[in-house]
Amino acid sequence: MEKIKKIHMTAVCGMGMGAFASLLAKAGYKVTGSDQNVYPPMSSKLAEIGIEIMSPYSADNISSDVDLVIIGNAVRRDNPEAVKVMENGIKYMSFPEALNAFFLKDKTSIVAAGTHGKTTTSSMLAWILEICGKDPSFLIGGILNNFASSCKLGNGDFFVVEGDEYDTAFFDKGPKFMHYSPSSAILTSVEFDHGDIYKDMDHIKRSFIGFIKLIPSSGMLLVCSDFIHALETAEHAECRVETYGLTGEPDWKAENIRLGKTCGYSVFYKGEKISDVNLNAVGRHNVLNSLGAFALLYHYGLPVDKMAEALGLYEGVKRRQEVIGIAGGVTVIDDFAHHPTKVKATVSAVRSKYDSGKLWAIFEPRTNSSRRAFFQNDYVESFDDADEVVIADVFNKTQISADERFSSEKLAADLAKRGKRARFIPITDDIVDFVSSNAVRGDIVLIMSNGGFDGIHNKLLKSLEQKNFITA
């Protein structure tokens, strides 16, 4: 932007803000940042590219030569840096608003939005464009293994963005994706989530309707027909709409699906076979994600053989079915799943990949929605493909009133009534002790949380190693 030289970012260590700081630095802007909690890997990554990070928050962190302050979603109105900005008339923006202003207006913006699958779908879009020689830019809420990064500033025309429906900032309570000026978009799903900011399903749908109405008539919306609320939302689009899915008669359909340690399918468009895909990702949900990405980019004229090649070389996103380690013959996997639909899909996908050994599913209710009772009954069907289930206590449960709080103990009891071997174990170290004492060689431990979960992954691996040493 004209006249902007130095930018300060408040709450710079979040995944999105940190990635955006990197983009701004690569674009030639002088960037500083601040956060309450500064720790690797984000702090070290930003330091490597010359971004100074200050902690804790302080009005003094904003120097007199700062031209713009970008305020993150986690920042409250009473933050001392926000107070200084407001009281002194310093120019400020939210992160989504700034992304649009600095990068999207001159690009073909492709946005992947939806309750589930948007991180993976957007990462697949970026990787396909890369393999097809389009040198895309992207900003995605996860680290793409193919790029070892969550962002890239390319020289090509395309900019891929993960479209988040969460609110933007304390001064802008609208969804982030309303700032992303989509040229085209994928709508992966629409279900209830983020109960801390959305009242009900209609409230969620209104947000997505507002987003798809941003797509110009010259653009396109690919909507997953396997989700009824997504289809209903797409009826309000003012651009060309095509459907994709695994059931019914969508425009784009995956046939001859092969699930297991490897995954593959045939792509059909309006009844005509377009390509075969061997996917380097597992699970029916990843068939859907890749099909949506393939379908949208097909209409941009990308070569079918190169798109199929890209999906075969796709290496996923960190914290999505990521193998953290193997100890004592037990495989420990980390995943970000937290919504009951995504938990069910993830458990099923891991079971299909590992067809022997017991599958342990360990779940921590940590998001604003999963800590509340919205999905109390829905989770009961999410663990059907697991052999052993451990439910941890609600993260920071005293922040949620007892009458609206999710009950981990009840979920474990309901799962047991369903015939599952399920336990409520409230303390992380006790979970580690229990699993390491009972897991045997060949077992798989799937840990699902959107946070650090008290370092459970490495604690468990260490405990399994010690057990193996003792019994060897």
Side-chain angles (χ1 to χ4, degrees):
M1 291 180 66
E2 293 182 7
K3 299 181 181 179
I4 299 292
K5 294 182 180 179
K6 186 172 181 179
I7 301 169
H8 180 77
M9 301 185 68
T10 303
V12 73
C13 287
M15 177 65 74
M17 286 281 281
F20 187 51
S22 298
L23 285 183
L24 288 168
K26 291 173 183 177
Y29 296 96
K30 174 65 176 177
V31 181
T32 62
S34 60
D35 216 310
Q36 191 65 32
N37 298 300
V38 176
Y39 47 84
M42 185 59 75
S43 59
S44 54
K45 286 183 178 180
L46 293 176
E48 286 173 7
I49 57 176
I51 296 177
E52 179 188 2
I53 306 175
M54 294 159 273
S55 184
Y57 293 123
S58 169
D60 294 337
N61 293 338
I62 303 174
S63 59
S64 59
D65 59 342
V66 164
D67 302 303
L68 172 69
V69 176
I70 297 174
I71 300 177
N73 168 271
V75 177
R76 294 172 35 163
R77 187 179 297 273
D78 60 358
N79 182 292
E81 296 181 21
V83 171
K84 178 174 181 177
V85 164
M86 301 298 171
E87 290 183 349
N88 291 273
I90 300 170
K91 183 177 178 62
Y92 67 94
M93 289 181 173
S94 67
F95 146 50
E97 181 185 9
L99 175 61
N100 188 26
F102 282 88
F103 296 109
L104 298 184
K105 287 187 175 179
D106 298 323
K107 298 281 188 177
T108 298
S109 172
I110 297 182
V111 183
T115 309
H116 320 296
K118 52 184 173 285
T119 302
T120 299
T121 302
S122 54
S123 66
M124 288 175 168
L125 285 165
W127 180 239
I128 293 171
L129 287 164
E130 181 77 8
I131 288 295
C132 290
K134 297 300 182 180
D135 193 16
S137 302
F138 62 82
L139 184 64
I140 295 169
I143 296 175
L144 284 61
N145 292 325
N146 289 101
F147 296 92
S149 178
S150 57
C151 65
K152 179 192 170 191
L153 189 59
N155 293 313
D157 184 53
F158 292 97
F159 201 119
V160 178
V161 188
E162 177 181 346
D164 188 354
E165 69 271 25
Y166 207 74
D167 59 8
T168 299
F170 73 80
F171 51 86
D172 179 357
K173 304 311 288 184
K176 293 177 183 176
F177 57 34
M178 293 302 292
H179 293 280
Y180 294 155
S181 302
S183 303
S184 293
I186 298 176
L187 185 56
T188 65
S189 52
V190 176
E191 290 193 294
F192 184 75
D193 200 0
H194 306 307
D196 53 321
I197 61 172
Y198 288 106
K199 295 180 294 185
D200 50 32
M201 192 68 233
D202 286 341
H203 192 189
I204 290 258
K205 287 168 73 173
R206 288 197 298 273
S207 286
F208 280 103
I209 289 169
F211 166 71
I212 64 175
K213 283 188 173 183
L214 297 175
I215 306 170
S217 58
S218 58
M220 173 171 282
L221 173 67
L222 264 293
V223 57
C224 183
S225 56
D226 288 6
F227 291 87
I228 184 62
H229 293 301
L231 276 177
E232 292 170 353
T233 300
E235 293 175 359
H236 298 268
E238 298 170 0
C239 63
R240 181 177 174 181
V241 177
E242 288 188 351
T243 56
Y244 69 97
L246 306 184
T247 59
E249 298 298 328
D251 298 311
W252 292 87
K253 191 171 185 179
E255 302 271 14
N256 309 318
I257 298 172
R258 182 184 72 255
L259 300 174
K261 293 182 179 180
T262 61
C263 186
Y265 62 95
S266 300
V267 179
F268 280 79
Y269 179 47
K270 296 185 176 179
E272 178 184 350
K273 183 176 177 180
I274 301 297
S275 178
D276 288 317
V277 170
N278 292 308
L279 183 63
N280 191 24
V282 297
R284 294 176 68 86
H285 62 300
N286 280 321
V287 172
L288 275 175
N289 294 335
S290 60
L291 179 63
F294 187 106
L296 180 60
L297 294 180
Y298 177 88
H299 288 296
Y300 279 97
L302 271 63
V304 166
D305 58 339
K306 296 296 288 184
M307 290 199 292
E309 176 189 347
L311 290 172
L313 296 171
Y314 173 73
E315 296 179 0
V317 182
K318 282 191 177 297
R319 302 216 64 199
R320 272 66 174 181
Q321 297 175 36
E322 180 184 4
V323 175
I324 301 299
I326 301 174
V330 177
T331 302
V332 176
I333 298 173
D334 179 33
D335 199 276
F336 201 73
H338 45 83
H339 187 282
T341 299
K342 192 59 182 287
V343 170
K344 185 177 182 66
T346 302
V347 173
S348 176
V350 172
R351 178 74 284 173
S352 70
K353 183 174 182 178
Y354 299 90
D355 55 6
S356 62
K358 286 188 299 182
L359 174 57
W360 296 72
I362 303 174
F363 176 62
E364 181 192 36
R366 192 180 180 104
T367 66
N368 284 322
S369 291
S370 64
R371 294 192 302 152
R372 293 170 169 84
F374 299 117
F375 304 125
Q376 184 73 59
N377 296 324
D378 298 281
Y379 281 114
V380 177
E381 298 183 1
S382 296
F383 299 88
D384 285 354
D385 289 320
D387 300 299
E388 301 274 356
V389 182
V390 176
I391 308 299
D393 209 353
V394 173
F395 178 72
N396 281 348
K397 66 180 183 182
T398 56
Q399 295 179 348
I400 312 295
S401 62
D403 60 335
E404 64 173 357
R405 186 190 307 147
F406 178 82
S407 172
S408 295
E409 193 168 13
K410 183 179 187 303
L411 174 58
D414 289 344
L415 287 167
K417 291 176 185 176
R418 194 177 171 83
K420 304 304 296 181
R421 292 174 58 87
R423 296 163 185 80
F424 165 58
I425 304 179
I427 299 173
T428 302
D429 288 347
D430 291 343
I431 295 175
V432 170
D433 290 342
F434 177 79
V435 176
S436 62
S437 297
N438 290 278
V440 298
R441 184 173 297 273
D443 283 2
I444 305 95
V445 180
L446 170 63
I447 299 170
M448 292 171 286
S449 171
N450 73 315
F453 203 159
D454 297 330
I456 189 173
H457 313 83
N458 291 325
K459 287 180 180 179
L460 180 57
L461 286 168
K462 183 177 180 180
S463 182
L464 287 165
E465 287 173 356
Q466 291 174 341
K467 171 194 169 186
N468 190 56
F469 176 77
I470 292 170
T471 58

